[in-house]
Amino acid sequence: MSERVREPKKASSSPLRSGRNNAPPEIPPRSPGAPQLLRGMKDILPTDLPWWDFLRRQTDAEAAAFGFSRIETAVLEPTALFQRPLGEGTDVVQKEMYTFSDRGGDSVTLRPEFTAGVMRAYLEHGLIAWPQPVKLFTSGPLFRYDRPQAGRYRQFWQLNFETIGDAHPVVDAELLMLCEHFFRACGLTVSLQVNSIGDAQCRPAYHKALVEHLKPHRAQLCEDCQQRLQKNPLRVLDCKQALCRQLTQDAPQLVDHLCEDCRQHFTRVLEYLEEVQVPYALNPRLVRGFDYYTRTTFEVWPSDDESGSQSALGGGGRYDGLSEALGGRPTPAAGFALGIERIVHLLKERQIAMPPVPGPDVFLAQLGDAARKRALKLFRELRDAGVRVTGAFSKEGIKPQLEVANRLKAPFALIIGQKELLDDTVMFRDMESGIQEVVDAAKVVAEVKKRLGRTAAISPPPQPVSASTP
Ligand code: AMP
């Protein structure tokens, strides 16, 4: 168990209906050697899902408002998709990818991030022929063999937004606006850290200036940064080691080395943000983990955390060179990804109340097998009428069934016992007052709908479109 990732502190209130899952059940012992969750992997239990569902609803709402369509890409990809485009010198490619040979001998990798896969899908399925830009969003699990710790897992989930096929700086600003609105709608205050890391024109000169600055201090840099200095000098800027941070304190800044095009692009992004009053913090140290980034880069930090990207909730930026790196034609693009586990943790920490999970409208209880069959039939009829109905059909006595109804906070119970079966009736019980009435079985669906105040049934199931339909 000590192997498991430390879980964030649990918030005291559960958004689930009271009585359900409140007291943690005792976990029965398992036989030694029974399979366990792999280190750094994660199960998401029903008790956690209200937060996940909440984020999914917020994501869907932002996607609809900003015109993004959902895409789902493969979890397993050819290793080459990530190796060069992400950067041979990056931590993810060097140390963290789940790469293995499949049974056919091909090198495959569990996706460590979304962007490369989304761009592959864009190129492979000819989305370049769609009206540009193509705006796509997705979410799902990603895999990185990192050292597990709080907020860092080997399997983790991201929400991801990408705008492909548009170089205009307003695209970057729109993504930042979306990101800021997403967090505000979730009730979270965050800080948007923004920078520009230039492009292939201006970055080499900056690399040179940075290396010149750091060379005299090479021996004092941490081991990783000594290597980064050769392979990926930008990454020295976001090292978390105190001494490395100190040594880069007075390092030349990228924004001072931007070429005219990059400088103008960045200025316009910031102008748009100011116009729409999206607050941001300029952060000249902010570089991103993958080589494909160009120009605008940003990260989202919890507002009360200025310690840096260690607890970043997300990040993104422009990646104009990725399409070409994947063998496509030049296609400018920008996007960002948010870490769901970290956002859920923050929602809990800040005690943001989740909307309650709607419980059943009606609970069906039965006594005896013949009544059980009748209850099952009624269950179907109520479902078809759009009523949220539930039951505990395997239970025998009425009392234990009504206990479940109470626990689920069902406002009504319908009881079918021996007498009701013979009379073709149903006992209608108001769970709050305990008052019971006998209702004719043929009228029970209408009666339930009347009491629930619903006149219309939910829309009928979709029908196949016939060939003759215009
Ligand atoms: P990245 O793809 O590295 O830019 O990460 C974007 C966001 O995903 C980060 O800001 C985190 O919120 C989240 N994230 C990245 N790696 C992990 C991980 N190993 N475990 C949990 N969340 C992660």
Side-chain angles (χ1 to χ4, degrees), residues 22-65:
N22 270 357
E26 230 171 73
I27 301 169
R30 301 172 62 207
S31 46
Q36 285 193 16
L37 194 62
L38 286 172
R39 186 167 187 237
M41 299 289 155
K42 191 141 191 296
D43 297 321
I44 306 150
L45 299 182
T47 38
D48 256 331
L49 275 163
W51 282 274
W52 289 66
D53 290 344
F54 172 72
L55 292 181
R56 204 187 49 208
R57 285 195 300 274
Q58 301 296 347
T59 307
D60 289 348
E62 296 303 335

Side-chain angles (χ1 to χ4, degrees), residues 144 151-153 156 158 288 290 312-315 337-339 342:
R144 294 183 195 169
R152 190 168 293 284
Y153 305 98
F156 60 98
Q158 280 185 351
R288 301 281 299 131
F290 303 135
L313 302 169
L338 307 176
R342 292 194 193 172

Side-chain angles (χ1 to χ4, degrees), residues 127-142:
L127 272 57
I128 201 153
W130 292 13
Q132 304 292 300
V134 177
K135 296 166 141 192
L136 302 167
F137 79 108
T138 189
S139 75
L142 304 171

Side-chain angles (χ1 to χ4, degrees), residues 152 176 179 183 190-195 235 238 240 279-281 283 285-290 293 296-302 307-317 335-338 342:
R152 190 168 293 284
L176 279 153
C179 190
F183 281 101
V190 294
S191 155
L192 288 181
Q193 305 279 315
V194 186
N195 192 21
R235 292 308 310 262
D238 76 343
K240 302 294 168 303
Y280 63 85
N283 182 343
R285 299 176 75 98
L286 186 80
V287 299
R288 301 281 299 131
F290 303 135
Y293 281 109
T296 317
T297 48
F298 62 93
E299 276 193 358
V300 189
W301 295 356
S307 67
S309 54
Q310 197 75 306
S311 58
L313 302 169
F336 68 87
L338 307 176
R342 292 194 193 172

